[in-house]
């Protein structure tokens, strides 16, 4: 899409435009000043976009400690299920033309449908929707997954790659930036919001990391484990000991809980 065809939403999602507003330099300042001279009919739209970008400062913040999950209701009525060890920043009251939240970690969104776009910003990606339900998992190493339950979302990363998702579709971006679109198992991806812990042919290392994050604990391993071992199982609102019992006994390993 060319800049002359941009609306406010397009401008506020454009990295080069944001750079001009937030961090002007000789290069971007020259480009946008000259472009505005050539397209005076877009000046009002541009100025509105500039005002919106400058107004974005995240006022409210929710941080989930390890092992804790929470449900938040935003000012527009949208609901956010925040997973453990995750953080979300958002407006107490959204702008008249845009709803923006910033996510680190994992959350499930049920977005109220209305005219204002709803944008989820992660470290390297923007996810744009109107009314929909979807799961976002932004990992510390830069890997990202977005799974769509209902509605439609558009995803744009900092490299300019864009992709749309239909219901039951999921994108996975690894830490190198490679993107894969696939289907997904809803229980495996979103079961956490309903306190359902799901393992599906996970390696022992994946099981260890998932249990640590779920319960906010650290698992120390002694001895060797079979690198080819995988584990599958479903636990509905179970305590730590019952989960460990199921995992370790089926794996012919022993465990001990301290403190």
């Amino acid at each position: 899409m060319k800049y002359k065809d941009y609306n406010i939403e397009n401008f506020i999602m454009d990295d080069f435009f944001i750079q001009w507003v937030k961090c002007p330099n000789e290069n971007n300042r020259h480009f946008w000043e000259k472009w505005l001279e050539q397209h005076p009919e877009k000046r009002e739209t541009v100025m509105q976009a500039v005002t919106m970008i400058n107004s974005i400062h995240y006022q409210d913040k929710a941080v989930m400690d390890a092992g804790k999950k929470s449900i938040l209701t935003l000012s527009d009525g949208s609901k956010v299920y925040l997973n453990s060890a995750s953080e979300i920043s958002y407006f107490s009251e959204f702008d008249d033309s845009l709803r923006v939240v910033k996510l680190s970690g994992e959350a499930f969104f049920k977005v109220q449908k209305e005219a204002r776009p709803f944008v989820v910003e992660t470290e390297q990606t923007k996810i744009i929707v109107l009314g929909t339900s979807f799961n976002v998992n932004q990992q510390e190493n830069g890997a990202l997954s977005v799974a769509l339950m209902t509605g439609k979302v558009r995803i744009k990363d900092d490299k300019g790659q864009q992709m749309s998702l239909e219901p039951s579709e999921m994108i996975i971006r690894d830490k190198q930036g490679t993107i894969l679109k696939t289907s997904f198992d809803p229980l495996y991806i979103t079961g956490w919001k309903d306190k359902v812990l799901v393992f599906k042919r996970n390696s022992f290392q994946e099981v260890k990391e998932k249990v640590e994050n779920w319960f906010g604990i650290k698992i120390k391993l002694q001895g060797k484990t079979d690198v080819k071992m995988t584990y599958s199982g479903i636990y509905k609102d179970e305590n730590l000991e019952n989960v460990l019992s199921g995992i370790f006994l089926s794996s012919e390993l022993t465990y001990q809980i301290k403190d």
Side-chain angles (χ1 to χ4, degrees), residues 123-125 138-144 173-177:
E123 183 180 352
Q124 298 172 317
T125 306
Q138 172 70 62
Q139 299 179 25
E140 291 184 0
N141 64 4
L144 171 78
R173 189 194 66 205
D174 62 24
K175 57 185 179 181
Q176 284 77 36

Side-chain angles (χ1 to χ4, degrees), residues 142-178:
L144 171 78
S145 67
V146 182
L148 181 62
M149 300 292 288
T150 62
K152 191 172 184 178
V153 304
R154 179 161 54 92
I155 300 157
K156 178 182 178 183
D157 67 14
D158 57 359
K159 296 181 180 179
Q161 300 181 96
Q162 295 194 49
M163 186 175 293
S164 295
L165 289 180
E166 300 290 342
S168 300
E169 289 184 337
M170 174 181 183
I171 66 116
I172 301 172
R173 189 194 66 205
D174 62 24
K175 57 185 179 181
Q176 284 77 36
T178 303

Side-chain angles (χ1 to χ4, degrees), residues 9-42:
E9 178 189 347
N10 299 134
F11 278 117
I12 64 176
M13 302 304 294
D14 186 274
D15 293 330
F16 186 52
F17 184 81
I18 295 172
Q19 183 187 62
W20 171 56
V21 177
K22 292 290 191 181
C23 305
N25 56 42
E26 184 177 350
N27 180 46
N28 57 41
R29 186 184 297 113
H30 174 76
F31 174 87
W32 285 108
E33 289 177 355
K34 188 172 182 64
W35 188 86
L36 282 170
E37 288 178 3
Q38 297 172 345
H39 300 87
E41 76 282 359
K42 302 294 288 188

Side-chain angles (χ1 to χ4, degrees), residues 1 13 16 24 60 71 126 138 144 154 166 193 206 210:
M1 184 183 292
M13 302 304 294
F16 186 52
D60 288 352
I71 303 176
K126 296 181 178 72
Q138 172 70 62
L144 171 78
R154 179 161 54 92
E166 300 290 342
K193 70 181 179 63
E206 291 171 333
K210 200 163 189 176

Side-chain angles (χ1 to χ4, degrees), residues 8-197:
I8 292 177
E9 178 189 347
N10 299 134
F11 278 117
I12 64 176
M13 302 304 294
D14 186 274
D15 293 330
F16 186 52
F17 184 81
I18 295 172
Q19 183 187 62
W20 171 56
V21 177
K22 292 290 191 181
C23 305
N25 56 42
E26 184 177 350
N27 180 46
N28 57 41
R29 186 184 297 113
H30 174 76
F31 174 87
W32 285 108
E33 289 177 355
K34 188 172 182 64
W35 188 86
L36 282 170
E37 288 178 3
Q38 297 172 345
H39 300 87
E41 76 282 359
K42 302 294 288 188
R43 180 172 294 275
E44 182 178 355
T45 300
V46 166
M47 290 302 102
Q48 289 176 343
V50 168
T51 299
M52 290 178 62
I53 290 171
N54 283 329
S55 71
I56 293 179
H57 54 285
Y58 299 98
Q59 297 174 340
D60 288 352
K61 181 182 288 187
V63 181
M64 283 302 101
D65 297 329
K68 294 184 179 179
K69 302 169 181 63
S70 182
I71 303 176
L72 309 171
T73 301
L74 307 182
S75 60
D76 66 336
S78 296
K79 289 189 179 298
V80 181
Y81 298 74
L82 193 61
N83 207 346
S84 57
S86 301
E87 178 179 310
I88 187 169
S89 304
Y90 55 95
F91 290 103
S92 296
E93 294 293 335
F94 288 124
D95 187 273
D96 290 340
S97 54
L98 185 68
R99 299 171 289 172
V100 181
V101 301
K102 189 172 184 178
L103 174 68
S104 174
E106 184 170 24
F108 182 88
F109 294 86
K110 286 186 176 180
V111 178
Q112 287 282 11
K113 189 172 184 178
E114 56 165 81
R116 293 179 296 178
F118 190 99
V119 180
V120 179
E121 293 185 352
T122 67
E123 183 180 352
Q124 298 172 317
T125 306
K126 296 181 178 72
I127 303 156
I128 307 118
V129 306
L130 287 176
T132 185
S133 59
F134 58 102
N135 195 84
V136 181
N137 188 357
Q138 172 70 62
Q139 299 179 25
E140 291 184 0
N141 64 4
L144 171 78
S145 67
V146 182
L148 181 62
M149 300 292 288
T150 62
K152 191 172 184 178
V153 304
R154 179 161 54 92
I155 300 157
K156 178 182 178 183
D157 67 14
D158 57 359
K159 296 181 180 179
Q161 300 181 96
Q162 295 194 49
M163 186 175 293
S164 295
L165 289 180
E166 300 290 342
S168 300
E169 289 184 337
M170 174 181 183
I171 66 116
I172 301 172
R173 189 194 66 205
D174 62 24
K175 57 185 179 181
Q176 284 77 36
T178 303
I179 294 179
L180 169 69
K181 182 186 284 190
T182 183
S183 58
F184 66 94
D185 178 347
L187 185 63
Y188 182 71
I189 298 298
T190 68
W192 63 266
K193 70 181 179 63
D194 299 313
K195 299 182 179 181
V196 181
L197 176 58

